């Protein structure tokens, strides 16, 4: 897939007593989802954005209300955000490792829970994973959700109008507005920024992660924020977050991003509390 080739956390499960027996696995799953819901509900009074919405917001021109016409990476990047977010939310996981260890790119993505995520597109993606037999790997799922497949029997997996649907979500959340612009030969719906505070907070969050709050250890970073940095880079919009920086800060920020990109996802996913789906998605885009 061309767009993927252009870009070279685990959910902590609460321990349950062995006496719970066969019901233990189901109880753990319920607790994971409940804990995640509580985390999202209590995390902030600010508008909660999905990874997809954050990446799109970084890519949108504030006044014009559309992404760069030259950006051919954001489409697949947004689908990668879907897979990563579903992994972080505990809705999907990678198949278990057998006697013979497989690489992240060769392991299949499997359904874990279809508990509603609060986002229609994420729920659609979960349903596709759940209904697919045999299962597919992460890279194939990015291609299928993007519609980049030559198999006509699998075209129904494509999620259409993703950017427009995400923009409408951001309009509903009061971040963007909707306008019509004339481009000589055609009219286009655009979504200019109306809540600059939301975008500035997003940009500052990304900047701080690689500057003032840099930990020098990805496993000490917030997993969603780490995933955002990777997917913003894969979508070719990370540069937009660093554009306001001074030359010195910009150089430091890009150096640290390069350190993250140079990490080996195969090694990182084996560390304590690592989220395999997140690192599998990273592997699909920086391979």
């Amino acid at each position: 897939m061309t767009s993927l080739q252009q870009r070279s956390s685990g959910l902590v499960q609460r321990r349950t007593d062995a006496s719970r027996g066969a019901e233990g696995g189901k109880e753990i799953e319920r607790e994971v989802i409940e804990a995640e819901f509580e985390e999202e509900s209590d995390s902030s009074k600010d508008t909660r954005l999905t990874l997809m919405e954050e990446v799109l917001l970084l890519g949108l021109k504030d006044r014009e209300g559309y992404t760069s016409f030259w950006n051919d990476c954001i489409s697949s990047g947004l689908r990668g955000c879907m897979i990563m977010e579903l992994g972080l939310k505990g809705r999907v996981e990678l198949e278990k490792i057998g006697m013979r260890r497989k690489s992240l790119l060769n392991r299949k993505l499997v359904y874990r829970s279809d508990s509603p995520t609060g986002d229609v597109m994420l729920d659609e993606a979960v349903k596709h994973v759940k209904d697919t037999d045999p299962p597919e790997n992460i890279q194939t799922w990015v291609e299928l959700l993007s519609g980049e497949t030559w198999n006509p029997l699998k075209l129904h997996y494509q999620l259409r109008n993703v950017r427009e649907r995400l923009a409408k979500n951001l309009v509903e959340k009061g971040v963007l507005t909707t306008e019509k612009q004339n481009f000589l030969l055609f009219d286009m719906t655009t979504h200019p920024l109306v809540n600059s505070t939301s975008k500035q907070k997003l940009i500052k969050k990304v900047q701080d992660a690689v500057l003032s709050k840099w930990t020098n250890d990805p496993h000490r970073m917030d997993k969603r924020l780490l995933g955002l940095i990777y997917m913003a880079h894969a979508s070719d919009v990370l540069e937009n977050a660093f554009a306001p920086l001074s030359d010195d800060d910009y150089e430091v920020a890009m150096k640290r991003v390069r350190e993250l990109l140079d990490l080996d996802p195969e090694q990182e996913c084996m560390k304590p509390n690592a989220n395999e789906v997140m690192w599998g998605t990273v592997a699909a885009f920086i391979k």
Side-chain angles (χ1 to χ4, degrees):
M1 180 171 60
T2 303
S3 53
L4 285 184
Q5 292 173 342
Q6 290 176 333
R7 287 288 175 268
S8 41
S9 123
L11 287 169
V12 179
Q13 299 182 342
R14 300 176 185 172
R15 294 181 180 178
T16 55
D17 296 332
S19 59
R20 295 185 184 180
E23 293 297 317
K26 294 181 180 179
E27 184 66 24
I28 288 175
E29 180 176 331
R30 283 197 296 271
E31 290 180 345
V32 168
I33 295 171
E34 288 169 2
E36 171 230 336
F37 176 77
E38 292 170 2
E39 178 185 345
E40 289 191 2
S41 299
D42 299 335
S43 62
S44 174
K45 293 181 180 179
D46 296 331
T47 302
R48 180 73 173 182
L49 304 182
T50 64
L51 283 175
M52 300 179 291
E53 291 165 351
E54 289 179 326
V55 166
L56 180 66
L57 188 55
L58 287 175
L60 284 174
K61 300 173 185 285
D62 292 356
R63 294 182 179 179
E64 293 85 346
Y66 52 82
T67 58
S68 170
F69 293 125
W70 308 109
N71 188 336
D72 56 358
C73 302
I74 195 168
S75 179
S76 61
L78 291 174
R79 273 68 173 190
C81 287
M82 293 182 192
I83 301 299
M84 184 178 288
E85 185 118 54
L86 290 176
L88 292 173
K89 287 179 175 291
R91 299 324 193 260
V92 297
E93 62 185 359
L94 292 183
E95 64 180 342
K96 303 302 180 185
I97 300 175
M99 295 294 292
R100 184 176 180 182
R101 182 175 178 84
K102 293 182 179 179
S103 69
L104 286 170
L105 294 179
N106 288 327
R107 291 169 66 186
K108 307 299 184 183
L109 189 71
V110 296
Y111 153 82
R112 183 178 179 188
S113 168
D114 59 1
S115 176
T117 64
D119 184 273
V120 174
M121 281 185 286
L122 291 177
D123 291 341
E124 287 180 25
V126 170
K127 187 177 185 303
H128 285 324
V129 174
K130 180 180 180 180
D131 295 343
T132 300
D133 187 28
E136 304 283 1
N137 60 36
I138 290 178
Q139 184 173 334
T140 299
W141 269 117
V142 173
E143 295 172 353
L144 292 175
L145 295 174
S146 302
E148 297 183 7
T149 176
W150 294 103
N151 187 341
L153 299 178
K154 294 188 175 183
L155 286 175
H156 67 283
Y157 289 124
Q158 181 182 6
L159 294 184
R160 301 177 183 276
N161 304 317
V162 167
R163 268 178 273 189
E164 181 64 22
R165 294 169 70 181
L166 289 174
K168 288 181 177 178
N169 288 349
L170 290 170
V171 170
E172 292 177 0
K173 293 178 180 181
V175 180
L176 306 177
T177 188
T178 302
E179 294 181 357
K180 288 281 188 180
Q181 287 195 30
N182 180 269
F183 289 84
L184 297 179
L185 299 178
F186 61 93
D187 290 332
M188 187 174 81
T189 301
T190 61
H191 299 281
L193 183 70
V194 291
N195 186 346
S196 59
T197 301
S198 292
K199 185 163 185 176
Q200 288 305 315
K201 285 183 177 179
L202 172 61
I203 289 174
K204 188 175 188 306
K205 179 173 69 172
V206 174
Q207 292 176 351
D208 287 349
V210 293
L211 292 173
S212 62
K213 296 182 180 179
W214 176 247
T215 65
N216 208 31
D217 179 2
H219 296 277
R220 293 173 59 193
M221 294 177 65
D222 175 78
K223 292 180 177 62
R224 286 191 84 262
L225 181 53
L226 178 62
L228 172 61
I229 292 173
Y230 274 114
M231 296 317 301
H233 176 270
S235 303
D236 199 18
V237 300
L238 186 59
E239 181 83 10
N240 297 344
F242 296 155
L245 294 174
S246 66
D247 290 345
D248 289 343
D249 283 346
Y250 178 86
E251 185 176 343
V252 172
M254 292 306 297
K255 175 179 178 292
R256 289 171 175 170
V257 168
R258 175 49 56 189
E259 290 177 16
L260 293 176
L261 296 174
D262 287 341
L263 294 174
D264 182 358
E266 298 288 349
Q267 296 297 321
E268 300 304 319
C269 77
M270 298 174 65
K271 295 182 179 179
N273 294 330
N275 185 285
E276 292 184 327
V277 175
M278 188 194 82
W279 287 109
T281 307
V282 170
F285 281 89
I286 67 171
K287 64 185 187 303

